[in-house]
Amino acid sequence: MRTEFHDTLESLVTDLAEMCDRASAMMRSATTALLDADLAQAEHLRVALAELSALGTGVHDRAYHLLALQAPVARDLRTVVSALHIGADADRMGALASHVARTAVRRFPERAVPDEVADLFTEMGSTAVQLAADARDAVADRDAALAERICAGDERMDELHRQLFVRVVGPRWRHGPMGAADVVLLGRFHERFADHAVEIARRVYFQATGAQLGAQPVGL
C-alpha cells in the first residue's frame, strides 16, 4: 500500500513538472504569435490549453484521492497539498499564454504590438518562458534553492512591466488609447504569468523545507 502511495506521489510530481513545461512552451508559441503575427502558433494554443487543463484535472483528482484514502503526514502531506496549488497555477499560466495568443489572432494580419514596444515584449516573453522552465526544474527536483532564485528572477519582469507603462504614456506613443489598452493588457498577462511561476516556486520551497517565503496568493 505504501509503495503504491509513493508511486502515485511521484506521478503527481512528474505531471506537475510536465504542466510547467507545457506552460513554458505555450508562452513561447504565444510570443511568436504576438511578435510575428503567426496565426498557426496562436491556433495551436487552443489544443495545448485543453491538454494542459486535462493534465491538471488528473493531478487534482489523484491528490484528493491521496488525501482522502492515505492520510499523508509531514513532507508527504506538504507534497500533496502543494500539488493542488501548483497544478492550479500551471493551468492558469497556460490560460494567460492563451490570452496573449488570442490578442495576436484578434489583431491579425497586423502585428499586435507596435515597434516601439516590441523589444520589451521580446524580453518579457523570454523571461516568462525561462521562469516557467525553471519552475519545471524546481518541481521535478524539489529544489528549494532554485525556488528562491525564481522568486528573485521575477524582479526583471516587474521592471519590464514598469518600462512598458513609461513608453505607453510617453510623448512618443502614436497608437492611441485602444492601442495602449491592448499593450497594457498584454503586459498584465505576462506579469501574471510570471507571478504564477513564482507562486509555484514558493510552493516548492514550502514542500521541501516546511517554511514559507512570505507570499500572498496570486490573483487571476
Side-chain angles (χ1 to χ4, degrees), residues 108-122:
F108 186 83
E110 297 179 3
R111 193 169 70 163
V113 293
D115 291 341
E116 291 90 335
V117 293
D119 63 320
L120 292 179
F121 278 103
T122 297

Side-chain angles (χ1 to χ4, degrees), residues 10 13-14 16-18 134-143 204:
E10 286 302 312
V13 173
T14 298
L16 291 169
E18 174 68 15
D134 288 344
R136 172 202 63 208
D137 293 342
V139 168
D141 298 333
R142 286 85 152 179
D143 190 333
V204 170

Side-chain angles (χ1 to χ4, degrees), residues 167-199:
R167 293 194 193 180
V168 168
V169 302
R172 296 184 180 181
W173 184 257
R174 300 177 289 103
H175 304 280
M178 291 301 294
D182 274 349
V183 166
V184 168
L185 188 57
L186 284 167
R188 181 66 169 169
F189 292 153
H190 283 80
E191 184 191 37
R192 290 286 87 188
F193 185 99
D195 286 346
H196 283 285
V198 168
E199 188 64 18

